[in-house]
Amino acid sequence: MYAWKCVTWGDPRHLQLGRMPDPVCEAGQVEITVKACGVNFADLLLISGRYQLRPELPFIPGMEVAGWVTAVGPGVTVPRVGEHVAAYVKYGGYADKVVAPTAQVAVIPDSISSATAAAFPVSYGSAELALDRAHLSAGEVVVIGGAAGAVGSACIELAKQRGATVIACVGDDAKEQVARACGADEIVSSRSRALQQDLQAATADGVDVIIDPVGGSFFDESLRALRFGGRVVVLGFASGKIPSLRLNQLLIRQQSVIGASFGLTCIKDPARISDKWPELVAMLERGAIKPRISKTLPFTDLPRALNLLKERKLAGRAVLGG
Ligand SMILES: NC(=O)c1ccc[n+]([C@@H]2O[C@H](COP(=O)([O-])OP(=O)(O)OC[C@H]3O[C@@H](n4cnc5c(N)ncnc54)[C@H](OP(=O)(O)O)[C@@H]3O)[C@@H](O)[C@H]2O)c1
């Protein structure tokens, strides 16, 4: 099969398009013939060797796909061959075929395009996990960092579904439009030098929850606007800076900092992920959530798509194929 290969640690220009052996579909897995791939921030980390996972070289990157089930491994009854699906895979997605454990596969109605489906599993799976870990409930105020990004925009939509008030932190006007279209109630600028004051101006009593896929100064500044007893969910470090924290602040303000990893939850607690697919797919089908696709590019344009992501030029997900 054809696939994008990572043959050396580095940036997107080092990726090579070529032939690789077909994957083997084992017990509990399905084989998916890939129609479209979501381009993820973590792909950049993975190919640079800075991700929590370091596959042996050469390997095929790509963690989010949509397509058709073309084979099932021993013991698999659902999904069935011929079904349209979206899946999270650790890596291997930028290829004609990939295999995925069934818990990481959502059956998608044929009425939804593969491009839309490919922008769905990681963003909404991660967003749902983050909001669950925060116990976000109706009437609460949540600040979302990187809010026009793929995960951030999914967090806005799912937080609105829970009845929360959303303050979205974004970097420019185009991203503000995306955050507003997702349902954000208030916007603050991630480029502001006074993020803490901007957040305090947007909420009288401090925010209840912070969802942080950015880290760096966003974490430091937004934490100062967190109310007594508030919760922060750490999702990632798109800024490239991992913040640190003085624990006395948590003690005196009785706050909680909570980690959330979609990928590791898929391994440690797969039912927590798979139990959510039917509800999330139903929302997708009735248009209550709408994956934001900022660009659709041909499969051969992976390095370009990753560079656009790196340069912070995308709002929502870039998708290859579809
Ligand atoms: N824990 C999990 O389970 C999980 C799952 C998926 C993703 N993630 C992580 O979540 C993060 C976001 O992923 P994504 O797919 O949503 O990426 P994305 O679509 O590229 O969005 C990331 C957002 O972060 C902001 N950002 C990017 N570079 C930045 C920089 N240098 N300084 C400050 N802000 C920057 C940008 O917002 P503005 O330009 O608008 O400020 C951008 O829209 C990544 O770190 C990813 O690894 C974690």
Side-chain angles (χ1 to χ4, degrees):
M1 66 173 184
Y2 272 99
W4 278 102
K5 292 184 272 188
C6 180
V7 294
T8 179
W9 304 114
D11 65 36
R13 79 198 136 103
H14 294 115
L15 293 172
Q16 292 177 7
L17 189 57
R19 287 206 167 268
M20 287 286 268
D22 281 11
V24 178
C25 188
E26 294 179 347
Q29 296 183 330
V30 298
E31 177 197 85
I32 300 166
T33 292
V34 177
K35 277 277 288 170
C37 309
V39 179
N40 275 260
F41 192 92
D43 293 332
L44 285 168
L45 301 176
L46 185 71
I47 64 171
S48 69
R50 289 182 291 123
Y51 196 51
Q52 60 220 29
L53 195 73
R54 267 170 79 96
E56 211 173 293
L57 296 169
F59 71 93
I60 306 168
M63 55 185 63
E64 194 175 31
V65 300
W68 306 90
V69 176
T70 39
V72 299
V76 173
T77 50
V78 180
R80 293 189 301 270
V81 169
E83 283 191 299
H84 188 215
V85 293
Y88 159 70
V89 291
K90 273 189 299 189
Y91 52 90
Y94 296 127
D96 291 336
K97 289 178 184 175
V98 67
V99 293
T102 53
Q104 292 164 215
V105 181
V107 176
I108 304 288
D110 291 355
S111 57
I112 291 164
S113 71
S114 293
T116 299
F120 164 74
V122 173
S123 314
Y124 290 89
S126 307
E128 181 63 17
L129 177 69
L131 302 184
D132 252 11
R133 299 271 297 137
H135 298 291
L136 182 71
S137 55
E140 290 196 306
V141 178
V142 56
V143 176
I144 297 172
V151 174
S153 56
C155 284
I156 299 178
E157 289 186 323
L158 293 178
K160 292 308 298 176
Q161 292 287 326
R162 285 173 181 242
T165 298
V166 173
I167 304 175
C169 188
V170 297
D172 61 34
D173 291 348
K175 290 182 178 183
E176 173 174 346
Q177 298 309 316
V178 170
R180 287 204 188 277
C182 291
D185 299 282
E186 301 273 350
I187 302 287
V188 291
S189 169
S190 59
R191 316 257 173 177
S192 166
R193 289 179 181 212
L195 184 58
Q196 178 199 350
Q197 288 88 330
D198 295 350
L199 287 172
Q200 280 166 340
T203 168
D205 304 321
V207 302
D208 299 293
V209 171
I210 298 165
I211 303 291
D212 182 9
V214 174
S217 61
F218 173 77
F219 179 89
D220 298 335
E221 296 288 317
S222 60
L223 192 65
R224 294 197 183 101
L226 191 67
R227 72 157 166 81
F228 183 85
R231 294 93 74 199
V232 184
V233 176
V234 178
L235 263 180
F237 311 105
S239 65
K241 296 185 192 103
I242 300 176
S244 51
L245 183 61
R246 292 168 65 88
L247 292 184
N248 60 335
Q249 181 177 339
L250 294 190
L251 188 154
I252 59 175
R253 301 181 71 191
Q254 218 165 283
Q255 295 164 332
S256 312
V257 179
I258 305 157
S261 167
F262 173 71
L264 292 172
T265 305
C266 284
I267 296 166
K268 303 260 183 209
D269 189 5
R272 182 166 186 164
I273 302 300
S274 58
D275 287 354
K276 292 286 180 183
W277 292 134
E279 186 188 339
L280 290 172
V281 172
M283 283 190 219
L284 185 66
E285 197 171 14
R286 63 172 192 270
I289 55 174
K290 299 186 184 99
R292 259 58 195 186
I293 298 180
S294 55
K295 254 192 191 345
T296 308
L297 298 161
F299 185 69
T300 46
D301 268 1
L302 174 61
R304 188 170 150 232
L306 287 170
N307 278 324
L308 288 168
L309 190 67
K310 198 174 173 180
E311 290 159 12
R312 232 165 140 177
K313 288 188 177 151
L314 299 174
R317 191 67 92 208
V319 170
L320 304 184

